[in-house]
Coordinates of all heavy atoms in Angstrom, one line a residue:
M1 N 0.8 -1.2 0.0 CA 0.0 0.0 0.0 C 0.9 1.3 0.0 O 1.8 1.4 0.8 CB -0.9 -0.1 1.3 CG -1.5 1.2 1.7 SD -2.5 1.1 3.2 CE -3.1 -0.6 3.3
P2 N 0.7 2.2 -0.9 CA 1.5 3.4 -0.9 C 1.4 4.2 0.4 O 0.3 4.2 1.0 CB 0.9 4.2 -2.1 CG 0.2 3.2 -2.9 CD -0.3 2.1 -2.0
H3 N 2.5 4.8 0.8 CA 2.6 5.5 2.1 C 1.4 6.6 2.1 O 0.8 6.7 3.2 CB 3.9 6.2 2.2 CG 4.1 7.0 3.4 ND1 4.3 6.4 4.6 CD2 4.1 8.3 3.6 CE1 4.4 7.3 5.6 NE2 4.3 8.5 5.0
G4 N 1.2 7.4 1.1 CA 0.2 8.4 1.2 C -1.2 7.9 1.3 O -2.0 8.5 2.0
V5 N -1.5 6.8 0.6 CA -2.7 6.2 0.7 C -2.9 5.6 2.2 O -4.0 5.8 2.8 CB -2.9 5.0 -0.3 CG1 -4.2 4.3 -0.1 CG2 -2.9 5.6 -1.7
A6 N -1.9 5.0 2.7 CA -2.0 4.5 4.1 C -2.3 5.7 5.1 O -3.1 5.6 6.0 CB -0.7 3.8 4.5
N7 N -1.6 6.8 4.9 CA -1.9 8.0 5.7 C -3.3 8.5 5.5 O -4.0 8.7 6.6 CB -1.0 9.1 5.3 CG 0.5 8.9 5.8 OD1 0.7 8.1 6.7 ND2 1.4 9.5 5.1
S8 N -3.8 8.5 4.3 CA -5.2 9.0 4.1 C -6.2 8.0 4.7 O -7.2 8.4 5.3 CB -5.5 9.1 2.6 OG -6.8 9.3 2.3
L9 N -6.0 6.7 4.6 CA -6.8 5.7 5.1 C -6.9 5.7 6.6 O -7.9 5.6 7.2 CB -6.3 4.4 4.6 CG -7.2 3.2 4.7 CD1 -6.9 2.2 3.6 CD2 -7.0 2.5 6.0
L10 N -5.7 5.9 7.3 CA -5.7 5.8 8.7 C -5.9 7.1 9.4 O -6.4 7.1 10.6 CB -4.3 5.2 9.2 CG -4.0 3.8 8.8 CD1 -2.5 3.4 9.1 CD2 -4.9 2.9 9.6
L11 N -5.7 8.2 8.7 CA -5.8 9.5 9.4 C -7.2 9.7 10.1 O -7.2 10.2 11.3 CB -5.6 10.6 8.4 CG -5.6 12.1 9.0 CD1 -4.5 12.2 10.1 CD2 -5.4 13.1 7.9
P12 N -8.3 9.5 9.5 CA -9.6 9.7 10.3 C -9.6 8.9 11.6 O -10.1 9.4 12.6 CB -10.7 9.3 9.3 CG -10.1 9.4 8.0 CD -8.6 9.0 8.2
H13 N -9.1 7.7 11.6 CA -9.2 6.8 12.7 C -8.2 7.3 13.8 O -8.5 7.3 15.0 CB -8.9 5.4 12.3 CG -9.8 4.9 11.3 ND1 -11.1 4.6 11.5 CD2 -9.6 4.7 9.9 CE1 -11.7 4.3 10.3 NE2 -10.8 4.3 9.4
V14 N -7.0 7.8 13.4 CA -6.0 8.3 14.3 C -6.6 9.6 14.9 O -6.4 9.9 16.1 CB -4.7 8.5 13.7 CG1 -3.7 9.2 14.6 CG2 -4.1 7.1 13.2
M15 N -7.2 10.4 14.1 CA -7.7 11.7 14.6 C -8.8 11.4 15.6 O -8.9 12.1 16.6 CB -8.3 12.5 13.4 CG -7.3 13.0 12.5 SD -7.9 13.9 11.1 CE -8.5 15.4 11.9
E16 N -9.7 10.4 15.4 CA -10.7 10.1 16.3 C -10.1 9.7 17.6 O -10.6 10.1 18.7 CB -11.6 8.9 15.7 CG -12.8 8.6 16.5 CD -13.9 9.7 16.4 OE1 -14.1 10.2 15.3 OE2 -14.5 10.0 17.4
F17 N -9.0 8.9 17.6 CA -8.3 8.5 18.8 C -7.8 9.7 19.5 O -7.9 9.8 20.7 CB -7.2 7.5 18.5 CG -6.3 7.2 19.6 CD1 -6.7 6.3 20.6 CD2 -5.1 7.8 19.8 CE1 -5.9 6.0 21.7 CE2 -4.3 7.6 20.8 CZ -4.7 6.6 21.8
N18 N -7.2 10.6 18.8 CA -6.6 11.8 19.4 C -7.5 12.9 19.8 O -7.1 13.9 20.5 CB -5.5 12.4 18.5 CG -4.3 11.6 18.4 OD1 -3.9 10.9 19.4 ND2 -3.6 11.5 17.3
M19 N -8.8 12.8 19.4 CA -9.8 13.9 19.7 C -9.7 14.4 21.1 O -9.8 15.6 21.3 CB -11.2 13.4 19.3 CG -12.2 14.4 19.4 SD -12.0 15.9 18.3 CE -12.5 15.2 16.8
P20 N -9.7 13.5 22.1 CA -9.8 14.0 23.5 C -8.6 14.9 23.9 O -8.7 15.8 24.7 CB -9.8 12.8 24.4 CG -10.3 11.7 23.5 CD -9.8 12.0 22.1
A21 N -7.5 14.7 23.2 CA -6.3 15.5 23.5 C -6.2 16.8 22.7 O -5.5 17.7 23.2 CB -5.0 14.7 23.3
V22 N -6.9 16.9 21.6 CA -6.7 18.1 20.7 C -8.0 18.6 20.1 O -8.0 19.1 19.0 CB -5.7 17.8 19.6 CG1 -4.3 17.6 20.1 CG2 -6.1 16.5 18.8
A23 N -9.1 18.5 20.9 CA -10.4 18.9 20.4 C -10.4 20.3 19.9 O -11.0 20.6 18.9 CB -11.5 18.6 21.4
E24 N -9.8 21.2 20.7 CA -9.8 22.6 20.2 C -9.1 22.9 18.9 O -9.5 23.6 18.1 CB -9.2 23.5 21.3 CG -10.1 23.6 22.6 CD -9.5 24.4 23.7 OE1 -8.6 25.2 23.4 OE2 -9.9 24.3 24.8
R25 N -8.0 22.2 18.7 CA -7.2 22.3 17.5 C -8.0 21.8 16.3 O -8.1 22.3 15.2 CB -5.9 21.6 17.6 CG -4.9 22.2 18.5 CD -3.6 21.4 18.4 NE -2.7 21.8 19.4 CZ -1.5 21.1 19.6 NH1 -1.2 20.1 18.9 NH2 -0.7 21.6 20.6
Y26 N -8.6 20.6 16.6 CA -9.4 20.0 15.5 C -10.7 20.9 15.1 O -11.1 20.9 14.0 CB -9.9 18.6 15.9 CG -8.9 17.5 15.8 CD1 -9.2 16.2 16.2 CD2 -7.6 17.8 15.4 CE1 -8.3 15.2 16.2 CE2 -6.6 16.8 15.3 CZ -7.0 15.5 15.7 OH -6.1 14.5 15.6
Q27 N -11.2 21.6 16.1 CA -12.3 22.5 15.8 C -11.9 23.6 14.8 O -12.6 23.9 13.8 CB -12.8 23.1 17.1 CG -13.9 24.2 16.9 CD -15.2 23.5 16.4 OE1 -15.5 22.4 16.8 NE2 -15.9 24.3 15.6
I28 N -10.7 24.1 15.0 CA -10.1 25.1 14.1 C -10.0 24.5 12.7 O -10.3 25.2 11.7 CB -8.8 25.7 14.6 CG1 -9.0 26.4 16.0 CG2 -8.1 26.6 13.6 CD1 -7.8 26.7 16.7
V29 N -9.4 23.3 12.6 CA -9.3 22.7 11.3 C -10.6 22.4 10.6 O -10.8 22.7 9.4 CB -8.5 21.4 11.4 CG1 -8.4 20.6 10.1 CG2 -7.0 21.7 12.0
A30 N -11.6 22.0 11.4 CA -12.9 21.7 10.9 C -13.5 23.0 10.3 O -14.1 23.0 9.2 CB -13.8 21.2 12.0
E31 N -13.4 24.1 11.0 CA -13.9 25.3 10.5 C -13.2 25.8 9.2 O -13.8 26.2 8.3 CB -13.8 26.4 11.6 CG -14.8 26.2 12.7 CD -14.5 27.1 13.9 OE1 -13.7 28.0 13.8 OE2 -15.1 26.9 15.0
A32 N -11.9 25.6 9.2 CA -11.1 25.9 8.0 C -11.5 25.0 6.8 O -11.4 25.5 5.6 CB -9.6 25.7 8.2
M33 N -12.0 23.8 7.0 CA -12.5 22.9 6.0 C -13.9 23.1 5.7 O -14.5 22.3 4.9 CB -12.2 21.5 6.4 CG -10.7 21.2 6.5 SD -10.4 19.5 6.9 CE -10.7 18.6 5.4
G34 N -14.6 24.1 6.3 CA -15.9 24.4 6.0 C -17.0 23.6 6.8 O -18.1 23.5 6.4
R35 N -16.5 22.9 7.8 CA -17.4 22.1 8.6 C -17.9 22.9 9.8 O -17.2 22.9 10.9 CB -16.7 20.8 9.1 CG -16.5 19.8 8.0 CD -17.8 19.3 7.4 NE -18.5 18.4 8.3 CZ -19.0 17.2 8.0 NH1 -18.7 16.7 6.9 NH2 -19.7 16.6 8.9
G36 N -19.0 23.6 9.7 CA -19.6 24.4 10.8 C -20.0 23.5 12.0 O -20.0 24.0 13.1
D37 N -20.2 22.2 11.7 CA -20.6 21.4 12.8 C -19.3 20.9 13.6 O -19.5 20.2 14.7 CB -21.3 20.1 12.4 CG -20.5 19.2 11.4 OD1 -19.3 19.5 11.1 OD2 -21.1 18.2 10.9
G38 N -18.1 21.2 13.2 CA -16.9 20.9 13.9 C -16.4 19.5 13.7 O -15.4 19.1 14.4
D39 N -17.0 18.8 12.9 CA -16.6 17.4 12.7 C -15.5 17.2 11.7 O -15.7 16.9 10.5 CB -17.8 16.5 12.3 CG -17.6 15.0 12.4 OD1 -16.4 14.6 12.6 OD2 -18.6 14.3 12.3
V40 N -14.3 17.4 12.2 CA -13.1 17.4 11.4 C -12.8 16.0 10.8 O -12.3 15.8 9.8 CB -11.9 18.0 12.1 CG1 -11.4 17.1 13.2 CG2 -10.8 18.3 11.1
V41 N -13.1 15.0 11.6 CA -12.9 13.6 11.2 C -13.8 13.3 10.0 O -13.3 12.7 9.0 CB -13.2 12.6 12.4 CG1 -13.1 11.2 11.9 CG2 -12.3 12.8 13.5
A42 N -15.0 13.7 10.0 CA -15.9 13.5 8.8 C -15.4 14.3 7.6 O -15.5 13.9 6.5 CB -17.3 13.9 9.2
A43 N -14.9 15.5 7.9 CA -14.3 16.4 6.8 C -13.1 15.7 6.1 O -13.0 15.7 4.9 CB -13.9 17.8 7.3
V44 N -12.2 15.2 6.9 CA -11.1 14.5 6.4 C -11.5 13.2 5.6 O -11.0 12.9 4.5 CB -10.0 14.1 7.5 CG1 -8.9 13.2 7.0 CG2 -9.4 15.5 8.0
D45 N -12.4 12.5 6.2 CA -12.9 11.2 5.6 C -13.6 11.6 4.2 O -13.4 10.9 3.2 CB -13.8 10.5 6.5 CG -14.2 9.1 6.1 OD1 -13.2 8.4 5.7 OD2 -15.3 8.7 6.0
Q46 N -14.3 12.7 4.2 CA -15.1 13.1 3.0 C -14.0 13.5 1.9 O -14.2 13.2 0.7 CB -16.0 14.2 3.3 CG -16.7 14.8 2.1 CD -17.6 15.9 2.4 OE1 -17.9 16.2 3.6 NE2 -18.1 16.6 1.4
L47 N -13.0 14.2 2.4 CA -11.9 14.6 1.4 C -11.3 13.4 0.7 O -11.1 13.3 -0.5 CB -10.9 15.5 2.1 CG -9.7 16.0 1.2 CD1 -10.2 16.8 0.1 CD2 -8.7 16.7 2.1
S48 N -11.0 12.4 1.5 CA -10.4 11.2 1.0 C -11.4 10.5 0.0 O -10.9 10.0 -1.1 CB -10.1 10.2 2.1 OG -9.1 10.7 2.9
A49 N -12.7 10.5 0.3 CA -13.7 9.9 -0.6 C -13.7 10.7 -1.9 O -13.8 10.1 -3.0 CB -15.0 9.9 0.1
E50 N -13.7 12.0 -1.8 CA -13.8 12.9 -3.0 C -12.7 12.8 -3.9 O -12.8 12.9 -5.2 CB -14.0 14.4 -2.5 CG -15.3 14.6 -1.9 CD -15.4 16.1 -1.4 OE1 -14.5 16.8 -1.5 OE2 -16.5 16.4 -0.8
V51 N -11.5 12.4 -3.4 CA -10.3 12.3 -4.3 C -10.1 10.8 -4.7 O -9.2 10.5 -5.5 CB -9.0 12.8 -3.7 CG1 -9.1 14.3 -3.4 CG2 -8.6 12.1 -2.4
G52 N -11.0 10.0 -4.3 CA -11.0 8.6 -4.7 C -10.0 7.7 -4.0 O -9.6 6.6 -4.6
T53 N -9.5 8.0 -2.9 CA -8.6 7.2 -2.1 C -9.3 6.0 -1.6 O -10.4 6.1 -1.2 CB -8.0 8.0 -1.0 OG1 -7.4 9.2 -1.5 CG2 -6.9 7.2 -0.3
N54 N -8.6 4.8 -1.6 CA -9.2 3.6 -1.0 C -9.4 3.9 0.4 O -8.7 4.7 1.1 CB -8.1 2.5 -1.1 CG -7.9 2.1 -2.5 OD1 -7.2 2.8 -3.3 ND2 -8.4 0.9 -2.9
R55 N -10.5 3.4 0.9 CA -11.0 3.7 2.3 C -10.8 2.6 3.3 O -11.0 2.9 4.5 CB -12.5 4.0 2.2 CG -12.9 5.0 1.1 CD -12.4 6.4 1.3 NE -13.1 7.0 2.4 CZ -14.4 7.4 2.5 NH1 -15.1 7.1 1.5 NH2 -14.9 7.9 3.6
T56 N -10.4 1.4 2.9 CA -10.3 0.4 3.9 C -9.0 -0.4 3.6 O -8.5 -0.5 2.5 CB -11.4 -0.7 3.9 OG1 -11.4 -1.4 2.7 CG2 -12.8 0.1 4.2
M57 N -8.4 -1.0 4.6 CA -7.2 -1.8 4.4 C -7.6 -3.1 3.7 O -6.7 -3.7 3.1 CB -6.5 -2.1 5.8 CG -5.9 -0.8 6.4 SD -4.8 -1.1 7.8 CE -5.8 -1.9 8.9
T58 N -8.8 -3.6 3.9 CA -9.3 -4.8 3.2 C -9.1 -4.6 1.7 O -8.8 -5.6 1.0 CB -10.8 -5.0 3.5 OG1 -10.9 -5.1 4.9 CG2 -11.3 -6.3 3.0
E59 N -9.3 -3.5 1.1 CA -9.1 -3.2 -0.3 C -7.7 -3.5 -0.7 O -7.4 -3.7 -1.9 CB -9.5 -1.8 -0.6 CG -11.0 -1.5 -0.4 CD -11.3 0.0 -0.6 OE1 -11.2 0.4 -1.8 OE2 -11.6 0.7 0.4
F60 N -6.7 -3.6 0.2 CA -5.4 -3.9 -0.1 C -5.0 -5.3 0.3 O -3.8 -5.7 0.3 CB -4.4 -2.9 0.6 CG -4.5 -1.5 0.0 CD1 -5.4 -0.6 0.6 CD2 -3.8 -1.2 -1.1 CE1 -5.5 0.7 0.0 CE2 -3.9 0.1 -1.7 CZ -4.8 1.0 -1.1
G61 N -6.0 -6.1 0.7 CA -5.7 -7.5 1.1 C -5.3 -7.7 2.5 O -5.0 -8.8 2.9
V62 N -5.4 -6.7 3.3 CA -5.1 -6.8 4.7 C -6.2 -7.6 5.4 O -7.4 -7.3 5.2 CB -4.9 -5.5 5.4 CG1 -4.6 -5.6 6.9 CG2 -3.7 -4.7 4.8
T63 N -5.8 -8.6 6.3 CA -6.8 -9.4 7.0 C -6.8 -9.1 8.5 O -5.8 -8.6 9.0 CB -6.6 -10.9 6.7 OG1 -5.3 -11.3 7.3 CG2 -6.6 -11.2 5.2
Q64 N -7.9 -9.5 9.1 CA -8.0 -9.4 10.6 C -6.8 -10.1 11.3 O -6.3 -9.6 12.3 CB -9.3 -10.0 11.1 CG -9.5 -9.9 12.5 CD -9.8 -8.6 13.0 OE1 -10.4 -7.7 12.3 NE2 -9.4 -8.3 14.3
D65 N -6.3 -11.2 10.8 CA -5.2 -11.9 11.4 C -3.9 -11.2 11.4 O -3.1 -11.5 12.2 CB -5.1 -13.3 10.6 CG -6.2 -14.2 10.8 OD1 -7.0 -14.1 11.8 OD2 -6.3 -15.2 10.0
E66 N -3.8 -10.3 10.4 CA -2.5 -9.5 10.4 C -2.4 -8.3 11.3 O -1.4 -7.8 11.6 CB -2.3 -9.0 8.9 CG -2.2 -10.1 7.9 CD -2.2 -9.5 6.5 OE1 -3.3 -9.3 6.0 OE2 -1.1 -9.4 5.9
L67 N -3.6 -7.9 11.8 CA -3.6 -6.7 12.6 C -2.8 -6.7 13.9 O -2.2 -5.8 14.2 CB -5.1 -6.3 12.9 CG -6.0 -6.0 11.7 CD1 -7.3 -5.6 12.1 CD2 -5.3 -5.1 10.7
P68 N -2.8 -7.8 14.7 CA -2.0 -7.9 15.9 C -0.5 -7.6 15.7 O 0.1 -6.8 16.4 CB -2.3 -9.2 16.5 CG -3.6 -9.6 16.0 CD -3.7 -9.0 14.6
S69 N 0.0 -8.2 14.6 CA 1.5 -8.0 14.3 C 1.7 -6.6 13.8 O 2.7 -6.0 14.1 CB 2.0 -9.0 13.4 OG 1.4 -8.9 12.1
M70 N 0.7 -6.0 13.1 CA 0.8 -4.7 12.6 C 0.8 -3.7 13.8 O 1.6 -2.7 13.8 CB -0.3 -4.3 11.7 CG -0.2 -5.0 10.3 SD -1.7 -4.8 9.3 CE -1.8 -3.0 9.1
A71 N 0.0 -3.9 14.8 CA -0.1 -3.1 15.9 C 1.2 -3.2 16.7 O 1.7 -2.2 17.2 CB -1.3 -3.5 16.8
A72 N 1.8 -4.4 16.9 CA 3.0 -4.6 17.6 C 4.1 -3.8 16.9 O 5.0 -3.1 17.5 CB 3.4 -6.0 17.7
D73 N 4.1 -3.9 15.5 CA 5.1 -3.2 14.7 C 5.0 -1.7 14.9 O 6.0 -0.9 15.0 CB 5.1 -3.6 13.3 CG 5.5 -5.0 13.0 OD1 6.2 -5.6 13.8 OD2 5.2 -5.4 11.8
A74 N 3.7 -1.2 14.9 CA 3.5 0.2 15.1 C 4.1 0.8 16.4 O 4.6 1.9 16.4 CB 2.0 0.5 15.0
M75 N 4.1 0.0 17.4 CA 4.7 0.4 18.7 C 6.2 0.6 18.6 O 6.8 1.2 19.6 CB 4.3 -0.6 19.8 CG 2.8 -0.7 20.0 SD 1.9 0.9 20.0 CE 2.5 1.7 21.5
Q76 N 6.8 0.2 17.6 CA 8.3 0.3 17.5 C 8.6 1.6 16.8 O 9.8 2.0 16.8 CB 8.8 -0.9 16.7 CG 8.5 -2.2 17.2 CD 9.0 -2.3 18.7 OE1 10.1 -2.0 19.0 NE2 8.1 -2.8 19.5
V77 N 7.7 2.3 16.3 CA 7.9 3.6 15.6 C 7.9 4.7 16.7 O 6.9 5.5 16.7 CB 6.9 3.8 14.4 CG1 7.3 5.0 13.6 CG2 6.8 2.6 13.6
T78 N 8.9 4.8 17.5 CA 8.9 5.7 18.6 C 8.9 7.1 18.3 O 8.4 7.9 19.0 CB 10.0 5.3 19.6 OG1 11.3 5.4 18.9 CG2 9.8 3.9 20.2
R79 N 9.5 7.5 17.1 CA 9.5 8.9 16.7 C 8.1 9.4 16.5 O 7.7 10.5 17.0 CB 10.3 9.0 15.4 CG 10.3 10.4 14.8 CD 11.0 10.5 13.5 NE 10.5 9.6 12.5 CZ 9.5 9.9 11.6 NH1 8.9 11.0 11.8 NH2 9.0 9.0 10.8
L80 N 7.3 8.6 15.9 CA 5.9 9.0 15.7 C 5.1 9.0 16.9 O 4.3 9.9 17.3 CB 5.2 8.2 14.6 CG 5.8 8.2 13.2 CD1 5.1 7.3 12.3 CD2 5.8 9.7 12.7
L81 N 5.2 7.9 17.7 CA 4.5 7.8 19.0 C 4.9 8.9 20.0 O 4.0 9.5 20.7 CB 4.8 6.4 19.6 CG 4.2 5.2 18.9 CD1 4.8 4.0 19.5 CD2 2.7 5.2 18.9
G82 N 6.2 9.3 19.9 CA 6.6 10.4 20.8 C 6.0 11.7 20.5 O 5.8 12.6 21.3
N83 N 5.6 11.9 19.2 CA 5.0 13.2 18.7 C 3.5 13.2 18.8 O 2.9 14.2 18.5 CB 5.5 13.5 17.3 CG 7.0 13.9 17.3 OD1 7.4 14.6 18.2 ND2 7.7 13.4 16.4
N84 N 2.9 12.0 19.0 CA 1.4 12.0 19.0 C 0.9 12.7 20.2 O 1.5 12.6 21.3 CB 1.0 10.4 19.1 CG -0.4 10.3 18.6 OD1 -0.8 10.6 17.5 ND2 -1.2 9.8 19.5
P85 N -0.2 13.4 20.0 CA -0.7 14.2 21.1 C -1.3 13.4 22.3 O -1.5 14.0 23.4 CB -1.8 15.1 20.5 CG -2.1 14.4 19.2 CD -0.9 13.7 18.8
R86 N -1.5 12.1 22.1 CA -2.1 11.3 23.1 C -1.3 10.0 23.2 O -0.9 9.4 22.2 CB -3.6 11.0 22.7 CG -4.3 10.2 23.7 CD -5.8 10.1 23.4 NE -6.4 9.1 24.2 CZ -7.5 8.4 24.0 NH1 -8.1 8.6 22.8 NH2 -8.0 7.6 24.8
E87 N -1.0 9.6 24.4 CA -0.3 8.3 24.6 C -1.1 7.2 24.0 O -2.3 7.1 24.2 CB 0.0 8.1 26.1 CG 1.0 7.0 26.3 CD 1.4 6.9 27.7 OE1 1.5 7.9 28.4 OE2 1.7 5.7 28.2
M88 N -0.3 6.3 23.3 CA -1.0 5.2 22.7 C -0.3 3.9 23.1 O 0.9 3.8 23.2 CB -0.8 5.3 21.1 CG -1.5 4.2 20.3 SD -1.3 4.4 18.5 CE -2.3 5.9 18.3
C89 N -1.1 2.9 23.3 CA -0.6 1.5 23.7 C -0.9 0.6 22.5 O -1.6 1.0 21.5 CB -1.2 1.0 24.9 SG -2.9 0.6 24.9
E90 N -0.4 -0.6 22.5 CA -0.6 -1.6 21.5 C -2.1 -1.8 21.2 O -2.5 -2.0 20.0 CB 0.1 -2.8 21.7 CG 0.3 -3.8 20.6 CD 1.2 -4.9 20.8 OE1 2.2 -4.7 21.5 OE2 0.9 -6.1 20.3
Q91 N -2.9 -1.9 22.3 CA -4.3 -2.1 22.1 C -5.0 -1.0 21.4 O -5.9 -1.2 20.6 CB -5.0 -2.4 23.4 CG -4.8 -3.8 24.0 CD -5.3 -4.8 23.0 OE1 -4.5 -5.6 22.5 NE2 -6.6 -4.9 22.8
D92 N -4.5 0.2 21.6 CA -5.0 1.4 20.9 C -4.7 1.3 19.4 O -5.6 1.6 18.6 CB -4.4 2.7 21.5 CG -4.8 3.0 22.9 OD1 -5.9 2.6 23.3 OD2 -4.0 3.5 23.6
A93 N -3.5 0.9 19.2 CA -3.1 0.8 17.7 C -3.9 -0.3 17.0 O -4.4 -0.1 15.9 CB -1.6 0.5 17.6
L94 N -4.2 -1.4 17.7 CA -5.0 -2.5 17.2 C -6.4 -2.0 16.9 O -7.0 -2.3 15.9 CB -5.0 -3.7 18.2 CG -5.8 -4.9 17.7 CD1 -5.3 -5.4 16.4 CD2 -5.8 -5.9 18.8
A95 N -7.0 -1.2 17.8 CA -8.3 -0.7 17.6 C -8.4 0.2 16.4 O -9.3 0.2 15.7 CB -8.8 0.0 18.9
I96 N -7.3 1.0 16.2 CA -7.3 1.9 15.0 C -7.3 1.1 13.8 O -8.0 1.3 12.8 CB -6.1 2.9 15.1 CG1 -6.4 3.9 16.2 CG2 -5.8 3.5 13.8 CD1 -5.1 4.7 16.6
Y97 N -6.4 0.1 13.7 CA -6.3 -0.8 12.6 C -7.7 -1.5 12.3 O -8.1 -1.7 11.2 CB -5.2 -1.8 12.7 CG -3.8 -1.2 12.5 CD1 -2.8 -1.6 13.3 CD2 -3.6 -0.3 11.6 CE1 -1.5 -1.1 13.1 CE2 -2.3 0.3 11.4 CZ -1.3 -0.1 12.2 OH 0.0 0.4 11.9
Q98 N -8.3 -2.0 13.4 CA -9.6 -2.7 13.2 C -10.6 -1.8 12.6 O -11.4 -2.1 11.8 CB -10.0 -3.2 14.6 CG -9.2 -4.4 15.0 CD -9.5 -4.9 16.5 OE1 -9.9 -4.1 17.3 NE2 -9.3 -6.2 16.7
A99 N -10.6 -0.5 13.1 CA -11.5 0.5 12.6 C -11.3 0.7 11.1 O -12.2 1.0 10.3 CB -11.5 1.8 13.4
A100 N -10.0 0.6 10.7 CA -9.7 0.9 9.3 C -9.7 -0.3 8.4 O -9.6 -0.2 7.2 CB -8.3 1.5 9.2
L101 N -10.0 -1.4 9.0 CA -10.0 -2.7 8.2 C -11.2 -2.6 7.2 O -11.2 -3.0 6.1 CB -10.2 -3.9 9.1 CG -9.9 -5.3 8.4 CD1 -8.5 -5.3 7.8 CD2 -10.1 -6.4 9.4

């Protein structure tokens, strides 16, 4: 799966996870994207749909059985985890992947 597509596919799910830590920032982004209701996650998801990006990992052949090892691997990317606005554990990563499946 191309890196940019993976980012587009996972971004709404990661944003949903991070919402409690950055709700005020996301509100500003939502308004900039024309979402008066403040739903930035929906705005980002809609943008991905409008440009025709694949929306699920299943479309790339990813299966439920692969998600636990993917979540474990994600926990090794400490540079990204250290910059994330909310602390994430392996179960959180797994839940994000499951939502994107």
